[in-house]
Amino acid sequence: MDKLCISGGRPLLGKINIGGMKNAALPIIFATILVNDVCVLENLPDVSDIKTALEIVRRMGAEIEQIDNFTYRIDTRPVHSNSVPLDLAKNMRGSYYVLGAELGRFGRSYTSLPGGCNLGARPIDQHIKGFEALGATVTCIDDGISCIAENKLEGAPVYMDVASVGATVNIMIAAATANGMTVIDNAAREPHIVDLANFLNSCGANISGAGTEVIKIRGVDKLYGGTYAIIPDMIEAGTYMIAAAATKGDLIVNNVIPRHLEATTRKLVEMGVEVEEGDDYVRVRSDGNLKKARVKTDFYPGFPTDMNPQFCVLLCLAEGESKITESVMDSRFKYTDELVRMGAKITVTGRDAKIEGIDAFRPANVRAVDLRAGAAMVIAALSANGTTVIDDIYHIERGYEDMVGKLRSVGADIKKISDKLS
Ligand code: EPU
């Protein structure tokens, strides 16, 4: 098992470049199955979840050529139906996007029930509701889920009881080549939903309203391949913004869409952190005097649940009592036990965390309990005087591209060690 070894207490200074957004890239990679042609995807993040997604599509029959670190040519014409490699799919939540893609292309799909970060119950009832509205029969068999449409999918109105990212993605993909019009009401509004719609439209789909709560998808007969660049990762960017603030740094977070970072920026400013917005960068500076704050996670454009753990680290370093309320995921606070090992004073009651400010974290041996929790441990370690070792970093590598290299380039003392060497 690899670990991260971080000797903290140094401010992050300089410029960090942000990669493509994992949660936009995943649906787009699986949507290429529906496109049934050659797609060139640029700005794919170099992270393990993306490699797994590409491997799943490759094992389904696609021909994939890597053009450079971030660009892949994917020919999905040879993909055959009912070919999802279940051993790989079960470990990655985003793999359930094969359902929408295969259903749209072949009228049937079978895959394993989704894995991913353990953030509490993560039901897929809204995906099922959408597929059924389009005319598919959905059944759960063993550890898998089967969707079968006897006839071509028919567009339909779908009201989502929860503005789920995953369900909005799956329904959009399945509906893109259905007969007639699908209207998704109470759709997710996240930037990755807009990116998927832009990708599908660039392939000839007819989707409007993405980014609002009503998305209209007029089915088309055929899609065509092309070249598409994934948007920058707002969660990677937000993570480094917080790391800058926690280390009293001065960091330019480059290649971002500042609008996507608004919720994080607003909270940082409220806490006394200086944030300057450029066209495609934000500059974050802090003198370490941090004010307490209350944060409530919400669907976009609210404060992202994927920034809950990282922001909690900053709130620990603020004066007075802060609070985070988690309103998206059932169980997001498992990471707090690890922060407590580093001296944090956090009390969790249900979906609320009460955070009492401390002067500094103390170094410790801790674990990344999930992807964003891992990022939070890195930030806490960067701010602590002394050496922290973080275990189970495979979680971090699922979603952060070259975190060690990027942090080293702005002054962090961080290295990856493997058990054999330690
Ligand atoms: N929900 C339902 N029924 C459904 C689907 C979702 O009740 O059919 C509930 C979930 O239980 C949850 C809430 O709706 O409480 C939000 O779930 P959503 O479907 O929006 O999340 P997701 O698609 O499973 C994606 C990201 C997560 C991110 C969430 C929220 C991917 C692959 N994953 O998950 O990313 O936390 O949206 O923004 O896009 C991460 O990157 O670290 C990560 C966990």
Side-chain angles (χ1 to χ4, degrees):
M1 280 295 186
D2 292 335
K3 302 173 200 265
L4 285 179
C5 180
I6 300 174
S7 296
R10 295 155 164 246
L12 297 187
L13 301 171
K15 193 201 268 186
I16 264 183
N17 278 324
I18 298 305
M21 187 175 197
K22 167 182 81 80
N23 289 347
L26 286 173
I28 290 175
I29 288 171
F30 288 109
T32 64
I33 294 169
L34 179 76
V35 175
N36 190 9
D37 200 356
V38 179
C39 296
V40 176
L41 298 183
E42 299 173 340
N43 205 31
L44 287 176
D46 187 9
V47 298
S48 67
D49 264 9
I50 295 302
K51 294 205 172 90
T52 307
L54 289 168
E55 182 57 14
I56 290 173
V57 177
R58 194 187 65 72
R59 280 175 53 184
M60 292 173 72
E63 282 166 16
I64 300 185
E65 184 194 340
Q66 181 168 5
I67 294 170
D68 61 36
N69 277 355
F70 313 107
T71 309
Y72 287 79
R73 179 183 183 278
I74 307 173
D75 182 353
T76 53
R77 287 170 298 185
V79 166
H80 35 97
S81 78
N82 264 341
S83 54
V84 180
L86 303 178
D87 53 329
L88 285 182
K90 74 170 189 283
N91 293 322
M92 198 186 55
R93 188 161 185 83
S95 64
Y96 60 11
Y97 298 141
V98 293
L99 289 170
E102 278 201 307
L103 195 55
R105 176 162 163 190
F106 302 115
R108 60 194 304 123
S109 182
Y110 179 82
T111 189
S112 41
L113 285 169
C117 286
N118 182 4
L119 305 172
R122 293 174 78 180
I124 54 166
D125 54 306
Q126 301 304 305
H127 303 239
I128 295 173
K129 182 176 175 181
F131 293 148
E132 288 178 341
L134 299 177
T137 303
V138 183
T139 36
C140 290
I141 307 167
D142 303 325
D143 286 340
I145 174 163
S146 153
C147 303
I148 297 177
E150 294 300 339
N151 302 304
K152 193 166 161 60
L153 297 176
E154 288 289 337
V158 182
Y159 177 82
M160 300 222 306
D161 304 302
V162 194
S164 152
V165 169
T168 305
V169 164
N170 248 334
I171 300 165
M172 267 169 71
I173 295 175
T177 53
N179 283 330
M181 174 84 103
T182 298
V183 180
I184 310 177
D185 219 323
N186 196 29
R189 289 178 283 165
E190 270 67 6
H192 24 308
I193 299 293
V194 180
D195 211 33
L196 172 65
N198 287 342
F199 165 71
L200 287 169
N201 283 342
S202 78
C203 299
N206 186 346
I207 301 174
S208 58
T212 76
E213 63 268 28
V214 182
I215 302 180
K216 293 185 178 163
I217 305 139
R218 189 178 293 282
V220 296
D221 287 340
K222 193 168 167 30
L223 296 173
Y224 303 89
T227 298
Y228 190 81
I230 311 293
I231 52 168
D233 194 319
M234 64 181 198
I235 305 299
E236 187 196 14
T239 300
Y240 291 126
M241 289 169 77
I242 293 170
T247 59
K248 304 181 193 167
D250 181 354
L251 191 69
I252 292 176
V253 181
N254 200 33
N255 183 32
V256 299
I257 299 174
R259 174 78 196 94
H260 294 169
L261 304 170
E262 275 299 320
T264 304
T265 299
R266 277 197 305 269
K267 277 292 155 192
L268 286 174
V269 170
E270 198 181 306
M271 290 181 71
V273 177
E274 238 182 277
V275 184
E276 174 194 322
E277 285 185 4
D279 286 344
D280 64 351
Y281 71 88
V282 286
R283 180 175 179 181
V284 180
R285 274 177 286 190
S286 172
D287 59 7
N289 289 316
L290 297 168
K291 296 184 206 137
K292 65 184 177 182
R294 291 172 74 99
V295 175
K296 182 169 180 270
T297 67
D298 210 340
F299 297 103
Y300 188 86
F303 190 90
T305 176
D306 288 345
M307 294 292 293
N308 166 336
Q310 305 91 311
F311 213 83
C312 183
V313 171
L314 200 62
L315 293 174
C316 287
L317 296 171
E319 233 183 304
E321 191 179 293
S322 298
K323 186 175 167 189
I324 300 185
T325 301
E326 172 59 49
S327 53
V328 178
M329 294 297 181
D330 255 4
S331 167
R332 185 108 229 190
F333 286 120
K334 285 193 220 87
Y335 68 87
T336 56
D337 289 343
E338 299 300 303
L339 286 182
V340 167
R341 293 157 76 94
M342 295 183 72
K345 292 185 180 157
I346 306 173
T347 317
V348 177
T349 315
R351 286 182 172 233
D352 291 324
K354 194 177 81 185
I355 300 139
E356 230 181 283
I358 53 170
D359 288 338
F361 286 102
R362 55 168 187 262
N365 288 351
V366 291
R367 282 179 55 222
V369 297
D370 61 55
L371 168 55
R372 307 305 170 186
M377 302 322 295
V378 171
I379 299 172
L382 288 170
S383 79
N385 282 315
T387 301
T388 294
V389 176
I390 306 174
D391 217 327
D392 290 347
I393 61 164
Y394 64 91
H395 283 296
I396 299 176
E397 291 173 343
R398 284 184 34 223
Y400 287 90
E401 173 183 287
D402 188 21
M403 190 184 241
V404 169
K406 289 187 185 187
L407 284 172
R408 284 171 83 104
S409 76
V410 291
D413 183 343
I414 174 171
K415 62 180 182 242
K416 185 167 152 178
I417 47 176
S418 78
D419 252 355
K420 285 184 204 124
L421 300 175
S422 64

